[in-house]
Amino acid sequence: MSRTASPTTQDFVPFATAALDFHRALNIPGGPLVTTRVELDALHAHLVALHGLLDAHTGRTGPLVPVEGDQLRTARTRIWQAADHVHAAYHAAPRQDSGELPEPEACKAGLPEGAPELTICQRHQRTAHLVRRRTTPADLHTPFTGLVRR
């Protein structure tokens, strides 16, 4: 079993990084700006996708190189925490059509605002289910981000 990826494997992560940098340079002007719910939804989708990528790397690397696996596991947890905060920011942002602020409990009920706004909550709940299976509550609430394992 190989310990590294094939050299012929196409790596799209640098393209994703460049796309984010390009998006920021073109779409985020200087000065005050309220982030739209559409932007927050897209950021949440990106963070959830990154969480999935880190989850895959953690699962494959951890058994082979435990110290690296621990670091990847911590990174995966922090990305989930960022996604959780972006999800909360989405629900704190005013609705585009009315400017109303939704109730925080609406998301937990499963039908916060109907489609298409419901997609962020569906994505968040699917990922939260995975996080609960692979992460302890202590991991999610610890302020310490570095692991010491030798």
Side-chain angles (χ1 to χ4, degrees), residues 4-16:
T4 59
S6 165
T8 59
T9 302
Q10 181 66 45
D11 185 6
F12 293 104
V13 174
F15 296 111

Side-chain angles (χ1 to χ4, degrees), residues 95-138:
R95 292 183 180 142
Q96 288 179 244
D97 54 348
S98 66
E100 294 177 26
L101 294 176
E103 297 295 322
E105 295 79 25
C107 183
K108 293 176 185 153
L111 296 170
E113 302 164 49
E117 289 82 6
L118 178 61
T119 58
I120 189 171
C121 295
Q122 290 173 336
R123 180 186 326 113
H124 197 73
Q125 295 302 327
R126 279 191 310 269
T127 308
H129 180 71
L130 176 70
V131 167
R132 282 191 298 273
R133 286 191 332 208
R134 297 189 178 164
T135 310
T136 68

